[in-house]
Amino acid sequence: MQMSKQIVSKFPARATAAFCLITAGGLSYQANFLPYFSDSSVSQGFFRSSRAIRTIVVTVADYKYSLHGLSKDCDEYRHLLSEVHLRSAKRLLKLCEINKGFYVKAGQFVSSLRQVPKEYSLTLSLLQDQVVPCDFKVIKEVIISNLGQDLSDVFTWLEEQPIAAASIGQVHHAMLKNHQEVAIKVQYPGLEKKMKLDTRIMYFLSEFVAWFFPEYRFRWLISEFTEAVSLELDFVQEARNSETIARNFKNNKFVRVPHIFWDFTTKQVLTMQFCRGHKVDDVEFLNGKKINLEKVAKLLLEVFAEMIFIHGFLHGDPHPGNILVSTEGQGGFSLVLLDFGICKKLDEVFRLEYCQLWKALILSDSKKIHHLAERFGVGKYYRYLPIIFSGRTIDSKSVLEKGMLVEEQKKLKQDLKGLTIEDISSFMESLPSDLLIILRTDELLRSAISKLGASKWLRLQTYGKYASFGLSPKLNPRSDLKVVALYTRLVGNIEYIHLRLAIGVMNIVVWMEKLKRYLIKFRIKMSAAGKGMLTAFFNCNLKV
């Protein structure tokens, strides 16, 4: 390893790039013949890794030479950069489709982030529905080896065709011997070894990219992805997460969490209650059942706001396949939460500070936002936190629910032009992991409520309301000392009342706006009706 570093250091950058490109190409060429001679995991790993190396080297070369000599401030650079982004995203999409497994998972992970260029997020989002199920013979072996019993001893029946397939496992519909209808989630064999190799290669490639482009640093992304995948591979931990969420919502009759059958659950096999429902963004189904779309969006936001601001225990992967709408429930429907592999216990200090951040966003308290940004480690970029979370600038003069004024939008565009890729990399590296998972979760929720046609104000209103609940002194007994406890409770009550009043005033403003629009429409209708009656009257008189 030391020798290789010495050799590389003697080469100029371009020569090194050419050397890496030729080497990676040669590795890929040789790897294409390995499957004919060996079916071992070593040859498969070599094949997958060499493909990844070749793809990244070609992508780096594309960026390096397509943009060479161009000023970053010119329109031509921005146009060419978008083209290179799109070409590179298509290369990565092809790599993920061929390599499958964790590469698909990584592509899905990246597509859910707002912080990556839109060319990547839109292109890689095609991976969401491209997982090919594993042969049932392999799945059957995993179930038997984990449960230690033959399928006929455990199940009355088990459907061979999966009802869902993901990058790390698939789900089958079955019935236990005691006539309990279940969903059995089975992990694909050999994933841990593949994960270790694939993530090491991803780390290596991120360092390789950073070596050529110091401003492009993706170590934070690889770290977050690796942590998330490691959590997902342990189905026992997922089952525990499921029970924690179930306890947190035990008094909520609109939320359902499948019961876990521990006798038939292991690290690679998870058996849970079978729950029927449709994806939360299946608008056609919801309309067909006459379920109010805004009510679904509101409940979805409230459930996750409660997780973040009150429980401090978050389901970190709320894509539509993991949240179903069931027609069972007091209000005509309920939400069924699934797949608890990626869950995060938020630090209690962070939870309270995140509540404070939303209070500051609602009240446009720029000093408090700056202070909290310092606490989160992103003080340099504090001005952009309101844009990320509430969609307006830190010094905005407009009402929160109305978004930015035209002048503010123009100014923001100018400010954003001054941001470099290095700034974005630095910002993302600085964020605490708790905030990173919230950003990803929030982006998935925004996508879902957008498809449901809910207003942006609904999200702001819900987050503000639950942030105020999270700051309630009843939830935060911070001290046993009577004097300190009384003072803390007094301050907390004032903060809570202040925020609730602000949200109340904003709700009145929104209600007044709706009433105003309704009255205008009513006046137009009445005016049209009056004209019609007048016309009919004159026509009648003319005939007479």
Side-chain angles (χ1 to χ4, degrees), residues 218-487:
F218 300 112
R219 189 180 297 161
W220 64 270
L221 181 58
I222 306 299
S223 296
E224 285 300 310
F225 170 71
T226 303
E227 183 183 349
V229 168
S230 299
L231 292 172
E232 282 198 274
L233 288 182
D234 188 351
F235 285 0
V236 171
Q237 184 57 50
E238 179 177 342
R240 293 194 190 107
N241 292 340
S242 173
E243 291 194 332
T244 299
I245 297 285
R247 281 194 302 273
N248 289 343
F249 287 97
K250 65 182 179 182
N251 296 322
N252 191 323
K253 296 178 181 178
F254 298 98
V255 178
R256 297 173 62 200
V257 177
H259 171 74
I260 302 297
F261 293 88
W262 282 103
D263 290 343
F264 309 108
T265 294
T266 68
K267 193 174 179 181
Q268 292 182 304
V269 174
L270 173 58
T271 305
M272 68 199 108
Q273 175 189 3
F274 182 80
C275 295
R276 288 176 173 79
H278 286 250
K279 290 183 178 181
V280 71
D281 64 348
D282 189 343
V283 174
E284 186 178 348
F285 164 77
L286 297 174
N287 285 331
K289 294 294 182 179
K290 296 183 179 179
I291 297 174
N292 187 290
L293 300 184
E294 187 172 358
K295 285 184 179 179
V296 174
K298 186 172 184 291
L299 178 60
L300 177 63
L301 285 169
E302 286 179 343
V303 167
F304 279 84
E306 187 172 334
M307 289 184 196
I308 295 169
F309 296 105
I310 297 176
H311 303 157
F313 191 84
L314 174 63
H315 183 313
D317 193 19
H319 70 74
N322 289 341
I323 305 167
L324 306 181
V325 177
S326 168
T327 53
E328 299 174 16
Q330 286 189 341
F333 75 95
S334 59
L335 290 185
V336 181
L337 305 182
L338 304 172
D339 198 343
F340 302 91
I342 303 176
C343 283
K344 181 82 170 178
K345 172 64 178 171
L346 303 179
D347 178 78
E348 180 61 10
V349 173
F350 170 83
R351 183 189 71 79
L352 290 169
E353 289 179 342
Y354 190 65
C355 290
Q356 291 282 1
L357 174 63
W358 270 91
K359 178 192 171 188
L361 291 169
I362 297 292
L363 301 178
S364 299
D365 187 345
S366 58
K367 289 184 179 178
K368 189 68 174 179
I369 292 171
H370 193 181
H371 170 72
L372 290 166
E374 294 283 354
R375 294 279 298 159
F376 294 149
V378 291
K380 180 181 175 182
Y381 306 102
Y382 80 99
R383 296 181 61 82
Y384 300 105
L385 289 183
I387 297 166
I388 293 170
F389 290 109
S390 63
R392 65 174 188 168
T393 58
I394 197 164
D395 49 2
S396 177
K397 304 300 180 186
S398 64
V399 180
L400 180 62
E401 66 274 10
K402 290 201 170 184
M404 285 185 282
L405 301 172
V406 176
E407 295 79 12
E408 291 171 352
Q409 291 177 5
K410 289 180 180 178
K411 186 177 183 302
L412 176 60
K413 284 181 180 178
Q414 288 298 119
D415 290 343
L416 292 178
K417 282 183 180 179
L419 282 177
T420 63
I421 293 295
E422 188 169 4
D423 287 322
I424 296 171
S425 296
S426 176
F427 173 74
M428 296 306 296
E429 279 181 326
S430 303
L431 287 176
S433 61
D434 285 358
L435 196 52
L436 274 171
I437 195 169
I438 284 176
L439 283 172
R440 180 173 181 268
T441 301
D442 188 45
E443 177 58 22
L444 290 168
L445 291 174
R446 286 195 205 198
S447 175
I449 65 168
S450 175
K451 289 179 182 178
L452 293 170
S455 67
K456 294 178 182 178
W457 167 241
L458 179 64
R459 171 179 162 274
L460 299 176
Q461 178 193 35
T462 304
Y463 281 13
K465 181 172 74 172
Y466 277 84
S468 71
F469 292 157
L471 290 170
S472 171
K474 294 177 184 177
L475 293 173
N476 308 304
R478 302 177 196 176
S479 175
D480 292 331
L481 293 174
K482 287 184 178 180
V483 176
V484 178
L486 284 171
Y487 174 75

Side-chain angles (χ1 to χ4, degrees), residues 73-227:
D73 297 327
C74 68
D75 291 334
E76 185 184 0
Y77 176 88
R78 284 189 283 271
H79 176 71
L80 284 175
L81 181 62
S82 179
E83 289 184 350
V84 179
H85 280 337
L86 185 58
R87 284 199 302 270
S88 303
K90 287 179 178 178
R91 281 191 212 102
L92 289 178
L93 175 64
K94 187 176 179 181
L95 172 68
C96 293
E97 288 174 337
I98 295 173
N99 275 7
K100 298 182 173 60
F102 291 104
Y103 285 86
V104 172
K105 191 74 180 174
Q108 293 172 341
F109 188 85
V110 171
S111 72
S112 67
L113 296 171
R114 297 177 67 204
Q115 292 72 33
V116 299
K118 66 176 186 289
E119 292 85 356
Y120 282 92
S121 58
L122 290 174
T123 303
L124 294 177
S125 65
L126 297 173
L127 292 168
Q128 294 294 343
D129 299 313
Q130 291 197 11
V131 179
V132 179
C134 186
D135 190 281
F136 184 71
K137 290 180 181 178
V138 177
I139 296 299
K140 182 179 177 181
E141 288 176 9
V142 175
I143 297 173
I144 293 172
S145 65
N146 274 267
L147 300 186
Q149 301 178 64
D150 193 72
L151 297 186
S152 60
D153 296 331
V154 180
F155 305 103
T156 302
W157 51 262
L158 190 154
E159 291 181 0
E160 294 189 8
Q161 189 66 28
I163 55 176
S167 52
I168 67 168
Q170 59 195 51
V171 182
H172 291 260
H173 189 191
M175 182 173 283
L176 297 175
K177 284 290 188 178
N178 62 1
H179 304 294
Q180 289 273 5
E181 203 173 358
V182 296
I184 179 167
K185 182 176 177 180
V186 186
Q187 190 177 124
Y188 302 134
L191 281 186
E192 279 202 58
K193 289 181 180 178
K194 285 182 181 178
M195 184 200 74
K196 287 177 182 177
L197 178 61
D198 288 348
T199 52
R200 281 174 186 167
I201 289 297
M202 289 175 189
Y203 270 114
F204 164 74
L205 292 174
S206 70
E207 294 299 317
F208 177 73
V209 171
W211 183 58
F212 271 93
F213 300 97
E215 67 272 24
Y216 286 84
R217 298 191 298 278
F218 300 112
R219 189 180 297 161
W220 64 270
L221 181 58
I222 306 299
S223 296
E224 285 300 310
F225 170 71
T226 303
E227 183 183 349

